[in-house]
Amino acid sequence: MSKTLVLAEKPSVGREIARVLGCRQSGNGCLIGPRYIVTWALGHLVELAQPETYGDQYKTWSLETLPMMPEKMELTVIPQTSKQYSAVKKLLHDPQVSSLVIATDAGREGELVARWILQKAGFHKPIQRLWISSQTDRAIRDGFAHLRDGRDYINLYQSAQSRAEADWLVGLNVTRALTCKHNAQLSAGRVQTPTLAMIVRREEEIRRFTPKNYYNVRADLGPFFAAWHDANRQTALFDKQKAQDIVDKIKGQTFRITQVKKTDKSTPPPMLYDLTELQRDASKQYQYSPKQTLNIMQRLYENHKALTYPRTDSRYLTADIVPTLPERLRAISFGEFSPLVSEVLRNNRTIYKACVNNAKVSDHHAIIPTEERVNLINMNNDEKRIYLMVVKRFLMCFFPHYQYRTITAELEAAGERFSASGREEINLGFKRVQNIRDEEEDEEQVLPSFRQGDRYSCKNTLLKELKTSPPARYTEATLLSAMENPSQFIEDKQMKEYIGGGLGTPATRADIIEKLFSSFYVEKQGTSIVPTSKGMQLINLVPQDLKEPLLTAKWERRLEAISRGAENKGAFLSEIRSYTRVLVKNVAGSDVKYVHDNITREICPECGKFLLMVNSKKGKMLVCQDRECGYRRNVMMQTRMRCPNCHKSMELYGEGDNRTYVCRCGFRQKADKMFAEKKNQKGASKQEVRRYLNQQKKDESGTGAFAAAWAKMLEEQGK
């Protein structure tokens, strides 16, 4: 009897699909059932071949061999995962396998994972595509009941292949050119370089900035404060004497209300999450890096089946999802959400109509909870935080607008203008779910009920000296926003329309930011991202148009057109080859010099050259300046180990037996002794408590009073 082979992207997903399809017999890298055999990749099993594959002349890096322009791009098996590739290839050519279902992630990169394996293995049997947005049992069963023809996704594959080949041509050629020209470990890429350029540009603005003193004048009128402003409603005074003169004029004066303006306003619920927005909020609230958030989301999607597909750029739902929303609401009816969900279901409330728009959903809809009820006790603290963020955002969209009334009073005293403003809440609406207030709302004062002509005596005056601030450095949250919409960096107004989806895609932005850190082009100072000398010099070395956001945005637009069949892959890559030749020529002909200004007197033990001191994301490292050597050694790492004296986080110095924990308060202790003492301490860890609860819990749904109490305790422990 012939069988259908199912190719998943990861073992965890493959096992879940196998369970739903009834594949219980273990095989070599697969699970076998009556009708299906389920196998899996380990991410990419196949990649584009390295330059050395195309000739011995590329084994040595030199400008003379550039640009590298293979006539046909070859594929090669990744050595680390070759065993699983061999198992998959054998299954692909198994006589009992009559067809294949591609079940890799439903997106451009997932399509590439599968198609490269099939191309390398020489697979020519019929192909179908599983295209689902969640990993619940129902989604898998429905997906297999409505499999799509694999030929429908050829254009998506061509788009993914074009992206990969273009990145190879530009990235590898320019990286080799920069490295050979300047004898330093330098690299460039279509998304990485313009992203770094934005960070460097912001740093240059900050360094050029000259702060100026300015002054604000406020009057204490008893029940409220009023702020001075000029005829143009500007509150800043740059002349201190003028500010002091105003203070002297209004002391003890009577303020008369000349105008009272009340305006009713409303704010709609925020739109549902896409990946970038979720990464942004997670960075603001919990200081998670974009990569951390994506990894947490993947676990919630694959392991817990709690949320839908994470790598989406849409904040909308399609109309066919709307009938499933009541069941998804029931799945999140636990704890503090239960009364809110009951209210929504009891009143038959529909989701905010702006959230449903078929035209604004391409591959995947917004991130929302699945219909599967989850047990929070089975989640770690990070997973719980992200899950609850999505649940809150989803639930908000079933509540009405936040309605409020703004109250502004204009006042006059001694010929000077003042104003006071506040807000009166009418209907909390979706903010009942949000349960938090914006910072600017917290600062707004409660105003008395007043009328035009009312008078108030000045009880006191306040003259506050302030300084103008430079532009804020990027955080990971604000950098994601800038990558998503870099149109502000395009001067030509007519070209702004071509910015398309921004720098990279929601799925790749986290990796790009991580690469900037791992390449030592940027470092963290608190939550701020600061370019290193290496990063700033690199931006002066790369060709001008490679660091402009417009270039990569145009690429993404064209890649999207290829995925729709609206553009030809060959024409796109032909232009990329011509462009690569120009880039290499520009780098080779540049007269700008690169200088190592972080060189130390320590010698590399492997090649004898001086080592460089760099700041990594987690601490300090010594790295060899020679690209071919690649030696690196940790000097200091930031840790979560708490000091027994002051309870602050400590730093870890040294390696091997010499590793030592050091605290700013002066405490020092060898790592092995520290671990031994912690091991001997009595008391259960959070992990042990969680394991115990999993064994003992009787409430399988996790929504009972006992489970809820323990979940709350674990949440507080994790904070």
Side-chain angles (χ1 to χ4, degrees):
M1 179 181 174
S2 63
K3 296 186 179 183
T4 298
L5 182 65
V6 179
L7 176 60
E9 189 161 330
K10 298 175 184 175
S12 58
V13 177
R15 293 188 189 100
E16 289 302 311
I17 292 174
R19 180 180 58 78
V20 173
L21 297 179
C23 302
R24 297 181 176 85
Q25 180 185 343
S26 295
N28 179 22
C30 66
L31 290 165
I32 304 167
R35 294 178 55 199
Y36 296 96
I37 301 173
V38 180
T39 188
W40 45 80
L42 301 169
H44 278 286
L45 298 181
V46 175
E47 63 183 357
L48 290 174
Q50 291 300 306
E52 295 80 6
T53 306
Y54 301 103
D56 291 343
Q57 70 272 28
Y58 299 129
K59 291 181 178 179
T60 302
W61 288 35
S62 70
L63 284 171
E64 287 71 29
T65 59
L66 300 179
M68 302 173 290
M69 293 285 172
E71 288 185 17
K72 181 178 179 298
M73 304 294 274
E74 300 291 339
L75 295 174
T76 185
V77 177
I78 300 172
Q80 294 87 339
T81 55
S82 59
K83 183 178 178 182
Q84 182 60 19
Y85 170 78
S86 298
V88 173
K89 181 179 179 180
K90 187 175 180 181
L91 289 167
L92 289 168
H93 292 287
D94 191 318
Q96 69 174 329
V97 170
S98 60
S99 63
L100 174 80
V101 173
I102 295 176
T104 49
D105 282 355
R108 188 172 75 184
E109 202 62 24
E111 197 68 25
L112 190 65
V113 167
R115 299 284 182 163
W116 270 356
I117 294 171
L118 303 184
Q119 182 179 333
K120 184 66 176 173
F123 182 80
H124 301 293
K125 299 173 186 177
I127 297 171
Q128 291 179 294
R129 188 57 160 104
L130 176 71
W131 196 270
I132 55 177
S133 292
S134 64
Q135 292 290 333
T136 64
D137 290 9
R138 175 183 292 183
I140 293 170
R141 282 194 292 269
D142 288 349
F144 272 89
H146 301 91
L147 290 171
R148 305 181 188 182
D149 192 321
R151 289 171 294 189
D152 294 345
Y153 296 89
I154 292 295
N155 288 332
L156 182 64
Y157 166 51
Q158 298 225 329
S159 170
Q161 191 177 27
S162 299
R163 191 276 310 159
E165 292 186 12
D167 281 345
W168 192 102
L169 290 165
V170 172
L172 266 63
N173 275 295
V174 176
T175 293
R176 283 201 175 198
L178 287 167
T179 300
C180 295
K181 173 74 175 178
H182 303 286
N183 192 28
Q185 297 183 47
L186 302 173
S187 61
R190 67 180 179 97
V191 180
Q192 170 193 306
T193 303
T195 302
L196 176 59
M198 290 193 301
I199 299 170
V200 169
R201 189 182 292 114
R202 177 64 55 85
E203 187 66 22
E204 290 171 344
E205 290 173 3
I206 292 170
R207 293 183 182 185
R208 289 194 302 266
F209 182 81
T210 303
K212 295 180 180 179
N213 292 334
Y214 71 96
Y215 306 88
N216 284 342
V217 175
R218 298 179 77 198
D220 180 358
L221 303 181
F224 61 97
F225 287 90
W228 176 90
H229 64 80
D230 64 14
N232 297 318
R233 304 198 67 78
Q234 297 297 312
T235 59
L237 287 152
F238 289 92
D239 185 334
K240 185 175 183 179
Q241 186 57 53
K242 183 178 179 181
Q244 186 61 54
D245 290 345
I246 293 172
V247 168
D248 294 339
K249 279 174 67 177
I250 64 172
K251 279 181 181 177
Q253 294 291 321
T254 297
F255 281 63
R256 183 176 64 87
I257 295 180
T258 59
Q259 184 183 15
V260 177
K261 186 177 181 181
K262 297 183 179 181
T263 307
D264 287 348
K265 295 184 178 181
S266 70
T267 303
M271 295 300 294
L272 298 165
Y273 276 126
D274 64 2
L275 178 59
T276 302
E277 179 74 4
L278 183 59
Q279 288 171 322
R280 238 188 327 254
D281 282 359
S283 177
K284 291 175 185 175
Q285 292 184 37
Y286 303 116
Q287 289 73 57
Y288 292 157
S289 72
K291 187 68 174 177
Q292 275 180 289
T293 302
L294 178 55
N295 289 340
I296 295 166
M297 282 294 301
Q298 282 293 138
R299 296 199 299 272
L300 289 167
Y301 167 66
E302 293 176 9
N303 302 343
H304 297 284
K305 307 179 189 306
L307 298 178
T308 56
Y309 186 73
R311 297 169 185 261
T312 176
D313 61 354
S314 177
R315 302 184 68 183
Y316 300 86
L317 302 177
T318 50
D320 62 307
I321 298 295
V322 174
T324 72
L325 299 183
E327 192 167 358
R328 296 172 193 268
L329 284 166
R330 284 188 282 271
I332 62 171
S333 182
F334 56 82
E336 62 182 322
F337 302 117
S338 289
L340 296 170
V341 170
S342 296
E343 180 182 331
V344 170
L345 294 173
R346 186 172 60 251
N347 297 321
N348 292 318
R349 284 186 184 160
T350 56
I351 196 165
Y352 178 42
K353 63 180 181 180
C355 293
V356 182
N357 190 329
N358 290 8
K360 293 189 176 182
V361 179
S362 52
D363 292 339
H364 295 282
H365 58 67
I367 300 167
I368 59 174
T370 65
E371 67 276 9
E372 198 146 308
R373 187 178 287 271
V374 300
N375 190 337
L376 292 181
I377 293 177
N378 293 332
M379 294 182 186
N380 64 33
N381 196 52
D382 295 337
E383 293 164 349
K384 200 179 306 177
R385 283 173 166 175
I386 298 298
Y387 177 65
L388 293 180
M389 283 176 65
V390 176
V391 167
K392 282 185 178 180
R393 179 60 64 91
F394 176 63
L395 194 50
M396 280 182 210
C397 294
F398 289 87
F399 280 79
H401 288 37
Y402 167 58
Q403 296 177 315
Y404 59 97
R405 180 174 294 123
T406 60
I407 305 169
T408 305
E410 295 295 326
L411 302 98
E412 183 272 335
E416 298 293 339
R417 300 179 180 89
F418 286 77
S419 64
S421 61
R423 148 182 328 212
E424 176 188 343
E425 289 182 331
I426 301 171
N427 182 358
L428 281 174
F430 70 86
K431 284 183 177 280
R432 290 174 57 198
V433 182
Q434 192 175 17
N435 205 24
I436 55 172
R437 292 174 181 269
D438 297 329
E439 290 179 11
E440 59 267 25
E441 291 175 24
D442 286 340
E443 294 172 357
E444 287 190 326
Q445 58 187 327
V446 178
L447 298 177
S449 178
F450 41 40
R451 296 165 298 176
Q452 186 172 333
D454 285 352
R455 297 173 182 272
Y456 293 88
S457 297
C458 182
K459 309 294 183 185
N460 198 3
T461 57
L462 295 88
L463 177 60
K464 192 171 185 179
E465 182 176 349
L466 302 161
K467 284 185 181 292
T468 54
S469 301
R473 286 191 172 98
Y474 286 111
T475 63
E476 287 180 305
T478 57
L479 183 58
L480 281 170
S481 298
M483 293 175 74
E484 185 179 39
N485 183 21
S487 59
Q488 60 180 301
F489 303 106
I490 299 175
E491 296 179 2
D492 187 338
K493 292 182 179 179
Q494 291 183 339
M495 298 302 288
K496 284 181 183 285
E497 63 181 281
Y498 292 107
I499 198 62
L503 294 172
T505 66
T508 60
R509 287 174 190 140
D511 286 330
I512 292 298
I513 294 173
E514 288 297 315
K515 188 173 181 181
L516 292 176
F517 281 109
S518 63
S519 301
F520 312 117
Y521 296 139
V522 300
E523 60 190 32
K524 264 198 170 182
Q525 292 182 8
T527 59
S528 298
I529 299 174
V530 182
T532 62
S533 170
K534 180 180 181 181
M536 296 189 79
Q537 288 190 75
L538 175 63
I539 292 304
N540 288 327
L541 298 174
V542 297
Q544 179 63 33
D545 59 342
L546 189 58
K547 52 191 175 187
E548 294 299 328
L550 180 60
L551 174 70
T552 190
K554 279 184 174 179
W555 281 27
E556 285 297 337
R557 185 182 179 93
R558 295 184 68 181
L559 291 170
E560 194 271 333
I562 293 171
S563 72
R564 290 185 286 107
E567 182 162 348
N568 180 269
K569 170 194 168 189
F572 171 72
L573 287 174
S574 177
E575 289 183 33
I576 295 299
R577 287 171 179 268
S578 300
Y579 176 64
T580 301
R581 292 186 181 94
V582 173
L583 290 177
V584 170
K585 185 177 180 180
N586 288 346
V587 171
S590 171
D591 56 3
V592 182
K593 303 295 182 185
Y594 179 84
V595 178
H596 289 299
D597 56 3
N598 57 340
I599 200 161
T600 69
R601 304 309 298 170
E602 288 205 44
I603 301 295
C604 175
E606 294 185 5
C607 72
K609 294 180 180 177
F610 288 117
L611 295 172
L612 308 173
M613 179 68 76
V614 297
N615 291 322
S616 68
K617 201 172 184 182
K618 295 182 179 179
K620 293 182 180 293
M621 299 179 72
L622 285 168
V623 301
C624 185
Q625 60 181 285
D626 191 325
R627 179 199 62 79
E628 294 185 357
C629 175
Y631 175 82
R632 55 179 57 194
R633 182 174 83 239
N634 285 324
V635 175
M636 180 277 288
M637 290 182 63
Q638 301 285 350
T639 75
R640 294 184 179 180
M641 184 72 79
R642 297 288 178 175
C643 173
N645 292 342
C646 68
H647 305 294
K648 292 183 179 178
S649 297
M650 295 189 291
E651 296 171 343
L652 181 63
Y653 287 82
E655 290 186 321
D657 295 338
N658 294 321
R659 291 187 305 163
T660 303
Y661 282 99
V662 178
C663 182
R664 293 176 185 175
C665 73
F667 174 82
R668 298 174 64 93
Q669 191 170 70
K670 283 287 188 72
D672 53 359
K673 187 177 180 182
M674 180 77 83
F675 287 129
E677 289 180 359
K678 284 188 71 68
K679 191 174 182 180
N680 292 331
Q681 289 176 356
K682 293 183 179 180
S685 66
K686 284 188 291 184
Q687 289 79 10
E688 289 168 333
V689 171
R690 188 174 286 113
R691 280 196 295 270
Y692 174 78
L693 287 174
N694 286 337
Q695 292 170 359
Q696 299 296 321
K697 66 181 185 294
K698 294 180 180 179
D699 182 359
E700 291 298 328
S701 68
T703 58
F706 175 77
W710 275 107
K712 184 176 180 181
M713 183 203 75
L714 289 173
E715 175 74 13
E716 291 172 351
Q717 280 186 344
K719 289 181 179 177

